[in-house]
Amino acid sequence: MDTPIVEQNTDSITPPIQTKESSRTDDKIWADILKLQLDGVMMHVALFEHFCIKGIKGYAAMHKHHAEEEFEHYLHMAGDYMNTYKKLADMINVSQPTVQIDGTTMEEIMMKGMEVYENWEKKVCKHLKKYQSELKEGKEHVDYLIKDVHEELKCIHLMENDLYDGKYEKLNEWLYKHWGD
């Protein structure tokens, strides 16, 4: 089995994790959080596109929903950022990740897609925890984001359990009924 991968431009908007000795200001940290959020929107868009092309409507609908929801959160936080710091966050090098999930059956594609999705959310959680530790003020707002990622990971694990139990079609149909147009 091929390992699912997410290729990203080396200039990805996901910011590097800074060292503890960093003396970055809160506005720089919040700008990185905004970049991470926008990167998450783009990841869901890439997964939406991939599952649309593969004809897996439930997964496509779920990722479309998450992209829209995360973009709404991004806009809210970007507004807060601009109102607080009176400037625009630096959004240089924004690029959409390329998702490649190889598989010959719907089951393989769905399993590998869940793996990509889970790995992405774990990466986001790691970054958020690091950013939270660097902030001087507003840590509680990042705590909310971390809790949201943990809830998303719980849902991913429940869906993975259904996939391991062979409920591919049933899960895909449920996702489409829940989030489809």
Side-chain angles (χ1 to χ4, degrees):
M1 282 183 137
D2 295 329
T3 303
I5 59 169
V6 177
E7 297 174 4
Q8 287 182 261
N9 182 324
T10 55
D11 295 329
S12 171
I13 61 173
T14 304
I17 294 179
Q18 301 292 322
T19 62
K20 197 131 184 123
E21 297 79 36
S22 173
S23 60
R24 296 187 324 142
T25 58
D26 279 3
D27 69 309
K28 298 287 186 198
I29 297 165
W30 279 109
D32 285 350
I33 290 170
L34 287 171
K35 288 177 187 179
L36 184 62
Q37 282 186 307
L38 196 53
D39 204 12
V41 170
M42 299 309 289
M43 173 56 68
H44 283 295
V45 167
L47 287 168
F48 162 76
E49 292 170 345
H50 183 77
F51 286 118
C52 270
I53 289 169
K54 299 289 186 181
I56 303 174
K57 292 181 181 181
Y59 271 44
M62 176 183 65
H63 287 290
K64 178 183 176 192
H65 166 80
H66 285 311
E68 291 168 345
E69 184 178 64
E70 289 193 23
F71 188 62
E72 185 178 311
H73 290 257
Y74 163 79
L75 289 175
H76 178 77
M77 288 189 74
D80 287 348
Y81 176 89
M82 289 180 280
N83 288 327
T84 300
Y85 299 107
K86 307 296 184 218
K87 63 181 180 178
L88 295 173
D90 180 10
M91 293 293 172
I92 296 175
N93 298 323
V94 175
S95 64
Q96 183 172 356
T98 303
V99 177
Q100 179 183 342
I101 303 172
D102 296 323
T104 55
T105 66
M106 182 175 80
E107 293 84 3
E108 287 176 344
I109 294 166
M110 291 173 77
M111 290 292 287
K112 291 176 182 180
M114 288 305 287
E115 187 178 327
V116 167
Y117 183 20
E118 180 180 16
N119 289 339
W120 170 255
E121 293 300 333
K122 286 178 179 177
K123 176 183 170 184
V124 167
C125 192
K126 178 182 173 183
H127 282 284
L128 288 173
K129 286 178 180 178
K130 180 62 181 161
Y131 297 145
Q132 185 181 42
S133 72
E134 291 182 68
L135 283 172
K136 292 165 191 70
E137 293 183 31
K139 291 176 184 265
E140 67 279 358
H141 298 294
V142 180
D143 192 49
Y144 168 80
L145 295 173
I146 292 169
K147 286 178 183 174
D148 191 52
V149 170
H150 281 278
E151 287 302 313
E152 203 162 344
L153 283 166
K154 285 180 190 176
C155 290
I156 290 168
H157 293 145
L158 290 173
M159 288 186 283
E160 285 174 332
N161 287 340
D162 280 349
L163 294 176
Y164 292 132
D165 290 343
K167 300 176 184 173
Y168 304 99
E169 276 295 329
K170 188 175 181 178
L171 178 60
N172 191 45
E173 288 173 22
W174 183 87
L175 290 170
Y176 188 72
K177 285 179 186 173
H178 191 69
W179 283 309
D181 294 328

